[in-house]
Amino acid sequence: MAKKGTPKKIIITSLIVTCIVIVYVIIAVKSSGNTSRNKRKVSQTTFSVKTQEAKITTLHDYIQANGEVEAQSSIEVFPDIGGKVVDVSVSLGSPVKKGQVIAKIDPSEPGSKYALSPVTAPISGSIVSTPLKDGTTVTTSSSITTIGEVKNLQITAEIPERYVALLKTGLSADITLEAYPGVIFTATVSRVSPVVDSSSRTKEIILTFDKDDDRINAGMFAKIILYTVNYTGTVVISEDAIVTKNDKKYAYVITADNKTEQRELTLGNSVDGLYQVLSGVTEGEKVVIEGVSTLSNGVSVKDITNAVNTTSTAETDVDEVPAQTKNSIQSGGK
C-alpha cells in the first residue's frame, strides 16, 4: 500500500529540477553572449599609428673629415745665414710687403762680431704662422715664418684610404667652424693628391670656399661633410618603418579602408636612417613609422599623424565603429 503524499513529493521535486535547469540555461546564454561580445571587441581593436608618405627622394652620401684653413698661396721664409734671430718686427697676422724686413739674424760667434743679416719678405701678404722668437738659433734651412694671401683661403684635409675611390675634383662640401656654431660655409674640392701617404694611409684633398667671407681666418679648425654619391630615382622610407622577420624586411602600408597590408621589401642604399626601397612600396603610399611593433597583417588602424591628442590603442564595440576618413600625412628625409 503506497504512502500518502508521495505524488506531492514527486511534483515538488520536478519543480525544483525544472528551476535548476532554467537557471543553468540562463547562465549559459548570458555567458555565451558576453563571450561573443568580447570576441567582437577584440577582433575590432583599432591601433593608433603614425605614418609617412613614401616619396622618390635623393639620398646624399658623405664622408666626415677634419681640416685646417690656410692661405692658398703661401711661402716659408728662410734666412740667408745661420745665427740667432734678433729684432723680429712682425707677429701672427701682420700684413707685409715684398722686400720688407721682418727679422734680422746675428751670425756673431764668441770672439767675433758680424753685421746683422736682414730677413726680407719674398712676397706680399700676411704672416700666417707664428714667427720665431728673438734669441732662437737657426740655420739656413730653418723657417722663420710663413707668408700667405689671407684673402684667398682653402682647406686641407686628409681622407682615409678606404674612401679614395670616391674622391674627385668638383665634389661639394659643407664646412663648419668652431667660432661660428650652426653656420655652414660651402666649399668645393679643387685638388686631389695623386698619391696615398704610406704612413698615414690617407690622401690629401684641397677645398676652396665658394664665397669669400671675412669671418673665415687662416689657421681655423674646420669640420667637413664631403658629399660623394647621390642615390636617386627610388622611393625612400625611414628605418622606423622597417620590420625584420625571419631575416626578411617588411613594412606596413595603410590601405584605403584603414587596414594594414604587410609588404616584403627589397632595400637599396641607406644614408642616416633613410633607405631606398627597390620593391615593396610605391610612391604615394602611407607606411607606418610609429606603432609598428603592435601590428600584424590586416588589422584596423587609426592614423594620428596630425592629431594633437594621441593614444596607443582603442577598443570599440563593432556597432560603435565610426566612419574613418583618410588623413593627410607628413614626410621628411634628405
Side-chain angles (χ1 to χ4, degrees), residues 44 46 300 316-324:
Q44 288 300 318
T46 300
S300 297
T316 309
D317 195 344
V318 67
D319 296 326
E320 299 172 352
V321 177
Q324 299 184 19

Side-chain angles (χ1 to χ4, degrees), residues 259-280:
K259 293 186 181 296
T260 58
E261 185 174 298
Q262 182 176 284
R263 302 275 187 84
E264 185 176 350
L265 305 176
T266 301
L267 301 177
N269 297 292
S270 66
V271 177
D272 289 343
L274 298 176
Y275 283 80
Q276 287 185 304
V277 179
L278 306 182
S279 68

Side-chain angles (χ1 to χ4, degrees), residues 222-239:
K223 293 183 178 180
I224 304 165
I225 295 180
L226 178 64
Y227 296 104
T228 54
V229 182
N230 292 333
Y231 304 121
T232 62
T234 61
V235 165
V236 169
I237 65 173
S238 168
E239 65 179 347

Side-chain angles (χ1 to χ4, degrees), residues 241-245 248-252 262-265:
I242 301 172
V243 180
T244 302
K245 296 180 180 180
K248 292 184 178 181
K249 306 294 184 182
Y250 298 91
Y252 288 104
Q262 182 176 284
R263 302 275 187 84
E264 185 176 350
L265 305 176

Side-chain angles (χ1 to χ4, degrees), residues 6 15 22 25 53 56 79 135 144 164 166 174 193 218 238 243 256 267 281 285 290 302 313 328 331:
T6 300
L15 289 175
I22 291 172
V25 168
E53 183 179 347
I56 294 178
I144 302 297
V164 164
L166 302 174
D174 287 340
S193 172
S238 168
V243 180
L267 301 177
V281 175
E285 291 187 309
E290 287 190 25
K302 179 181 180 181
T313 60
S328 61
S331 65

Side-chain angles (χ1 to χ4, degrees), residues 15-71:
L15 289 175
I16 292 173
V17 171
T18 301
C19 290
I20 292 173
V21 171
I22 291 172
V23 170
Y24 273 109
V25 168
I26 293 172
I27 293 173
V29 169
K30 186 175 181 179
S31 176
S32 177
N34 289 338
T35 302
S36 176
R37 183 178 178 84
N38 289 336
K39 285 182 179 179
R40 290 164 67 197
K41 283 187 177 183
V42 170
S43 64
Q44 288 300 318
T45 297
T46 300
F47 297 90
S48 294
V49 298
K50 289 188 178 182
T51 63
Q52 184 179 76
E53 183 179 347
K55 292 185 177 181
I56 294 178
T57 308
T58 298
L59 298 182
H60 306 283
D61 210 351
Y62 60 89
I63 300 169
Q64 290 181 308
N66 298 323
E68 185 174 342
V69 179
E70 58 186 20

